[in-house]
Amino acid sequence: MSKIATDFGVDSALKALGINPINEGSSTGSNNFGSGELLASYSPVDGALIGKVKTTSPVDYEKVMTAATSAFLTWRKKPAPLRGEIVRQFGEKLRELKKPLGKLVSYEMGKSYQEGLGEVQEMIDICDFAVGLSRQLHGLTMHSERPGHRMYEQYHPLGVVGIISAFNCPVAVWAWNTALAWICGDVCVWKPSEKAPLCGVACQNIAAQVFKANGLPEGISCLVNGDYKVGELMTHDQRVALISATGSIRMGKIVAQAVAARLGKSLLELGGNNAIIVTPDADIKMTVIGAVFGAVGTAGQRCTSTRRLIIHESIYDKVKGALIDAYKQLRIGNPLDEKNQVGPLIDSDAVAMYQKALQKVIDEGGKLIDEGGVMKGVGYESGCYVKPAIAEAQPKFEIVQHETFAPILYLLKYSGDVQNAIEIQNGVVQGLSSAIMTNNLREAERFLSVSGSDCGIANVNIGTSGAEIGGAFGGEKETGGGRESGSDAWKIYMRRQTNTINYTTELPLAQGIKFDL
């Protein structure tokens, strides 16, 4: 292990999570079989090798699917409250291992240790939510138009749920899906990002302990590792009833087409191009806190990261000045060191994308207020650390219309009524998260009205980044329309069935149709 990994206890964290730090070997499925090539995981924190996992071959995949489909036949028969008890135990295991898992998330992905702990807390929270939900998978009772008939609806498990997750939230998004899917009686096959495979191994190890202790089939939770080719096996597989995919819009369109071709179900949570509107009635201090955390948290690699700040011309210079002062105070460095606020980008490809975006701003006629750049010197040897950048731009710039997964904040000016700002906010293809900073009740209500934000998430006086477990998470337009986590998001993991019971000795037909024999 590297010096940073040793000094900050990553080696002991891996041990606590049951991971061999150099060669994890097979981790492709619930039964620890695998014959694919080795996939190496390097930390963006210091560039060091953390470990290796075996990727999933087509033969391995078939073994995984056999285990999963077999386990479903047992798992679906468990009453939902008993399934809830298993999820409760899983949540307790996460509480025990919160610190080591949070440390692995931080080291393998690069987000701050505080954010790593926060991500594991999200896993714990969704388990708590799911346990309560296990006694509330309600259907409806309807009145039949036929005398002596009872009519109602109920929900049944779908079967195998395939989960494709992204590197930026390497454990929480899986848990959002898995905890609900398990409660609903489904089994899960998970392909974590190839950029954070050890986080997947760690979660699989934790889940396997719980299922083994309860004498349940391992196939309830399965793991497959590899690149997009492994994902393609899932998306084209008729046995996978639902594909939940988190990632780029480009990836989501490919997944959607493949799943739709076989008339399967998709849950898509794709890109965001999130904006905060700042009106003349905004609290500037609150605005700066929300905007800075939203723009630089996780080094701008959240799907809910703040990309655009739409500021009224009357306060534009004041807000810009406050942001410049705030950015000067940011501490960039090793994310395991809790003194630092901004860690690295995930890899060199992300750095190149960041640099290309900054150049594009200049080429389109924009201006870099803070030029950004790649960090050099001691502590930045991985080459993945960059300075959060602020740019003045126009709403229709091509670069502003696209999501760059990096800490770049575009300042956009608006004039006149708040509706002008709302039109700018809505003028992109993405529709994930949005916010308005204002103490004006009318502006806030207009932002939340039918003619306001067109995003799946719309906030008042908080930023775009982050979400609570209790609310459904997801967005509209090319963000995909999927919903995960809270509210009634559980329904996508189940199939709805309408039932009619005739408790008479006659057989009246609907709509009064006569069919006498």
Side-chain angles (χ1 to χ4, degrees):
M1 298 295 291
S2 70
K3 186 177 188 303
I4 284 180
T6 301
D7 289 348
F8 286 88
V10 176
D11 48 356
S12 59
L14 291 173
K15 184 177 180 180
L17 297 167
I19 295 175
N20 183 322
I22 298 301
N23 187 355
E24 171 58 24
S26 174
S27 61
T28 56
S30 58
N31 293 318
N32 288 326
F33 34 64
S35 58
E37 297 178 352
L38 284 173
L39 172 65
S41 176
Y42 292 91
S43 172
V45 174
D46 56 7
L49 174 67
I50 312 172
K52 300 177 182 180
V53 300
K54 284 187 178 179
T55 55
T56 301
S57 70
V59 172
D60 300 329
Y61 177 79
E62 284 303 315
K63 292 179 181 178
V64 167
M65 286 304 300
T66 297
T69 53
S70 175
F72 173 62
L73 301 180
T74 299
W75 184 239
R76 67 179 178 178
K77 295 178 182 178
K78 286 274 186 187
L82 297 185
R83 297 195 295 257
E85 167 58 19
I86 302 303
V87 174
R88 186 196 67 77
Q89 293 179 32
F90 179 63
E92 288 303 306
K93 278 288 183 184
L94 291 173
R95 284 180 170 87
E96 294 174 17
L97 296 169
K98 180 178 177 179
K99 289 184 177 179
L101 184 54
K103 194 159 288 187
L104 173 59
V105 168
S106 177
Y107 188 61
E108 187 171 37
M109 184 269 149
K111 64 176 56 176
S112 71
Y113 179 48
Q114 300 98 309
E115 290 184 88
L117 293 175
E119 187 167 340
V120 181
Q121 186 60 50
E122 284 190 39
M123 301 175 75
I124 295 167
D125 292 343
I126 194 63
C127 286
D128 289 348
F129 179 88
V131 172
L133 185 65
S134 68
R135 296 179 183 271
Q136 299 181 72
L137 301 177
H138 301 310
L140 296 174
T141 299
M142 290 79 74
H143 289 281
S144 172
E145 66 184 40
R146 291 168 285 188
H149 285 59
R150 183 164 67 88
M151 191 174 174
Y152 68 98
E153 67 181 20
Q154 60 180 329
Y155 289 83
H156 294 302
L158 277 179
V160 179
V161 171
I163 303 167
I164 301 173
S165 63
F167 73 86
N168 61 324
C169 290
V171 296
V173 172
W174 168 73
W176 290 359
N177 285 273
T178 300
L180 297 190
W182 284 345
I183 287 296
C184 293
D186 300 320
V187 299
C188 297
V189 178
W190 177 27
K191 191 197 91 63
S193 170
E194 60 268 36
K195 296 181 180 182
L198 292 175
C199 285
V201 173
C203 292
Q204 176 69 3
N205 287 347
I206 297 169
Q209 291 178 40
V210 174
F211 289 119
K212 183 178 181 180
N214 287 274
L216 291 167
E218 293 177 308
I220 297 170
S221 179
C222 295
L223 187 73
V224 291
N225 271 307
D227 59 15
Y228 72 94
K229 294 178 182 178
V230 177
E232 286 180 344
L233 293 175
M234 297 169 64
T235 57
H236 290 88
D237 192 338
Q238 194 74 36
R239 295 167 294 183
V240 182
L242 169 68
I243 291 286
S244 176
T246 303
S248 69
I249 291 172
R250 181 192 63 81
M251 179 275 286
K253 289 181 176 179
I254 295 171
V255 169
Q257 291 176 37
V259 177
R262 59 178 177 84
L263 298 181
K265 297 177 70 174
S266 296
L267 192 170
L268 302 175
E269 199 280 282
L270 310 175
N273 192 350
N274 316 294
I276 298 176
I277 295 172
V278 188
T279 80
D281 288 314
D283 182 314
I284 302 300
K285 182 178 180 180
M286 287 177 60
T287 296
V288 170
I289 293 172
V292 173
F293 176 72
V296 310
T298 322
Q301 297 173 113
R302 292 188 178 196
C303 52
T304 54
S305 290
T306 305
R307 311 290 179 196
R308 300 173 294 149
L309 207 59
I310 306 167
I311 311 166
H312 192 271
E313 60 182 1
S314 66
I315 57 169
Y316 182 86
D317 290 336
K318 184 175 182 180
V319 173
K320 181 175 74 170
L323 285 169
I324 292 171
D325 290 341
Y327 269 55
K328 290 177 181 177
Q329 301 174 48
L330 292 174
R331 294 185 295 273
I332 306 167
N334 171 14
L336 292 168
D337 185 340
E338 296 185 53
K339 295 192 300 292
N340 295 322
Q341 299 156 318
V342 183
L345 293 177
I346 185 66
D347 56 22
S348 59
D349 289 340
V351 173
M353 179 177 62
Y354 158 86
Q355 292 174 309
K356 184 178 179 181
L358 293 181
Q359 184 59 51
K360 182 71 171 174
V361 171
I362 297 172
D363 293 344
E364 292 196 67
K367 178 183 178 181
L368 298 180
I369 299 172
D370 186 321
E371 295 184 1
V374 181
M375 305 290 287
K376 305 289 185 180
V378 177
Y380 304 122
E381 289 85 355
S382 71
C384 295
Y385 293 86
V386 302
K387 296 179 182 177
I390 303 172
E392 291 184 296
Q394 296 296 322
K396 295 302 181 182
F397 281 5
E398 183 182 1
I399 191 62
V400 175
Q401 292 287 311
H402 290 84
E403 177 187 43
T404 301
F405 234 48
I408 303 174
L409 180 63
Y410 301 112
L411 304 189
L412 311 174
K413 188 183 295 185
Y414 84 95
S415 59
D417 189 74
V418 72
Q419 195 64 41
N420 296 331
I422 293 173
E423 290 175 6
I424 295 172
Q425 128 78 44
N426 292 346
V428 295
V429 298
Q430 307 88 351
L432 179 53
S433 187
S434 59
I436 188 170
M437 292 292 184
T438 182
N439 289 321
N440 184 310
L441 178 62
R442 290 176 176 171
E443 289 180 333
E445 289 296 332
R446 188 185 298 189
F447 178 73
L448 300 177
S449 73
V450 67
S451 58
S453 170
D454 63 3
C455 295
I457 299 170
N459 300 327
V460 176
N461 290 331
I462 62 172
T464 63
S465 189
E468 291 189 37
I469 289 300
F473 181 88
E476 298 303 319
K477 301 190 292 187
E478 291 194 10
T479 298
R483 292 297 185 274
E484 298 170 317
S485 190
S487 185
D488 64 349
W490 62 271
K491 290 183 178 179
I492 197 169
Y493 303 95
M494 305 196 82
R495 58 182 176 89
R496 187 194 309 237
Q497 184 181 80
T498 300
N499 308 115
T500 306
I501 301 171
N502 178 4
Y503 54 88
T504 73
T505 58
E506 298 179 354
L507 186 57
L509 303 178
Q511 291 85 42
I513 295 173
K514 300 296 183 182
F515 192 74
D516 295 328
L517 294 176

